[in-house]
Amino acid sequence: MHKVMVIFGTRPEAIKLFPVINALKATGGIGCRVLVTAQHREMLDQVLEVGEITPDHDLDLMLPGQSLDVLSARLLEGIGGVLDEETPGRVIVQGDTATAMIGALAAYYRKIPVGHVEAGLRSHNIYHPWPEEVNRKIIGTIADLHFAPTDVSAGALNAEAVPEERIFVTGNTVIDALYWVSAKIDADPALASGLSGIEARFAGKKIIGITTHRRENFGDGMENIASAITEIAQRKDVACIFPVHLNPNVREVMNERLGNLDNVAMIEPLDYPHFARLLNICHLMLTDSGGVQEEAPALGKPVLVMRETTERPEGVTAGTAKLIGTDKARIVAEVTSLLDDEDAYSAMARAHNPFGDGKSSERIAGIIKDGFAK
Ligand code: UD1
Ligand code: UDP
């Protein structure tokens, strides 16, 4: 039995890895172990529950307002300890968080091979997104199996001279998660019925779904976003549903600036079924999230991306996503255009699925298994 240790710590990693864990568990000859760092706590636990994942190890290391330094140091020591105890034959990490980067580093220090899910995303700017661009480049240097979601991300790895035989275009596992949760909601609509009060309150209005959390948007960026939402929410035909990230750098500004607006529902982070519901009922998404840039195109929802660059150009190329930055006037103008110009709206509101077919996790599990046979 070959032991594979899957390491993750935040909400998006959990969403994109629970289908991989389930696929590995269904693959003969592999013993899949799960280590969560709990870099996130409540937001991670929401996904573990929905994804039906029981971790074998939980470092429980989140601290309120944690700095990158303290978080990274604690991650390295904690993950290293578990790897020494478990001695897996392979480690799997996903994306570009501190947990993913330090997980890869801890494995490298023990010469354990690393597989990288969602490999090859590049903005080519080390400060946008910060610190994720450097995190994923470090993981790319260490990994020996690179699971690139698309040809674009595979091309970025080619350009960095990663050997061709180590790059696998698998699709993005977020689409597996989205399809899986959508089927679950179809079978049991009560799983996503918790928004019904807000939906009734905003009946007849166009819903704008909002999320924001990027570190490079802290400060002026968050203030500009709050000002733009305040102006947009003056319209009577519009309502905003804003599940607010638990990072205090986001919450303090947003709750203070937007907490008392009639047309804006400031709510706690939604579990994945409820967020999928929001994606389905919204007219458009306004976000700086990575994952939402992948999910919205799959559902044909226009997504306005409050960032200067993106490592996910596929949504922009497909026409469903648009990069708009964090200038207040620009955000208001872009949202207004989608609300008032039907042609502009219908040009963006078309379902495209550049990020995968929902079978990425099976492919990844198969490649991991084949890797042991070599
Ligand atoms: C992290 C990742 C980012 C990813 C994002 C997804 C790093 C450096 N950043 O950013 O790449 O896009 O997660 O959401 O890895 N908090 C809670 N409860 C939670 C989660 C967070 O209270 O369940 C609060 C805590 O005060 C915590 C703070 O948010 O210290 C920041 O969490 P952290 O993981 O360091 O950064 P994020 O901004 O969430
Ligand atoms: N998400 C969620 N509940 C929320 C907001 C987001 O389940 O209240 C999901 C969303 O569907 C996506 C992921 O969380 O799959 C994105 O996480 P986040 O924006 O925190 O991180 P990023 O993708 O930017 O790293």
Side-chain angles (χ1 to χ4, degrees), residues 10-12 15-16 40 43 46-47 96-97 132 174 211 213-214 243-245 268-273 275-276 279 287-292 294-295 307 312:
T10 67
R11 170 173 67 193
I15 289 172
K16 292 171 172 178
H40 284 174
M43 287 160 53
Q46 284 181 322
V47 189
D96 49 23
T97 66
E132 289 83 0
V174 77
T211 77
H213 74 85
R214 297 242 69 87
V244 185
H245 196 285
E268 294 301 312
L270 292 168
D271 68 17
Y272 198 44
F275 197 78
L279 286 167
T287 188
D288 62 11
S289 163
V292 177
E294 295 152 348
E295 294 159 333
R307 294 173 49 174
R312 295 168 168 89

Side-chain angles (χ1 to χ4, degrees), residues 160-332:
E160 291 173 14
V162 173
E164 188 72 43
E165 67 277 12
R166 303 245 150 239
I167 305 171
F168 304 88
V169 178
T170 59
N172 195 311
T173 58
V174 77
I175 304 300
D176 307 23
L178 186 63
Y179 288 176
W180 184 89
V181 83
S182 301
K184 219 171 143 135
I185 297 167
D186 286 346
D188 181 5
L191 281 175
S193 63
L195 287 174
S196 56
I198 294 176
E199 289 178 39
R201 179 176 140 205
F202 292 155
K205 294 179 190 270
K206 288 177 176 161
I207 304 287
I208 302 176
I210 303 173
T211 77
T212 178
H213 74 85
R214 297 242 69 87
R215 271 180 161 70
E216 61 275 16
N217 284 344
F218 290 172
D220 289 349
M222 290 292 161
E223 293 286 350
N224 291 345
I225 292 168
S227 299
I229 295 168
T230 305
E231 189 166 328
I232 293 160
Q234 302 310 310
R235 290 177 61 132
K236 298 285 174 254
D237 60 336
V238 162
C240 301
I241 300 181
F242 187 168
V244 185
H245 196 285
L246 293 180
N247 193 316
N249 293 291
V250 180
R251 285 178 93 75
E252 281 163 21
V253 179
M254 294 303 172
N255 286 339
E256 188 191 315
R257 296 283 310 277
L258 305 173
N260 295 318
L261 298 176
D262 286 345
N263 274 356
V264 183
M266 303 291 285
I267 57 176
E268 294 301 312
L270 292 168
D271 68 17
Y272 198 44
H274 284 96
F275 197 78
R277 172 78 187 163
L278 175 59
L279 286 167
N280 274 293
I281 62 170
C282 74
H283 192 65
L284 65 102
M285 291 298 300
L286 183 60
T287 188
D288 62 11
S289 163
V292 177
Q293 289 177 61
E294 295 152 348
E295 294 159 333
L299 299 172
K301 298 292 177 166
V303 55
L304 296 175
V305 183
M306 297 183 289
R307 294 173 49 174
E308 306 299 335
T309 58
T310 184
E311 59 288 306
R312 295 168 168 89
E314 297 88 345
V316 177
T317 306
T320 324
K322 191 168 185 183
L323 277 179
I324 64 168
T326 55
D327 175 69
K328 178 197 163 190
R330 175 92 195 269
I331 297 171
V332 173

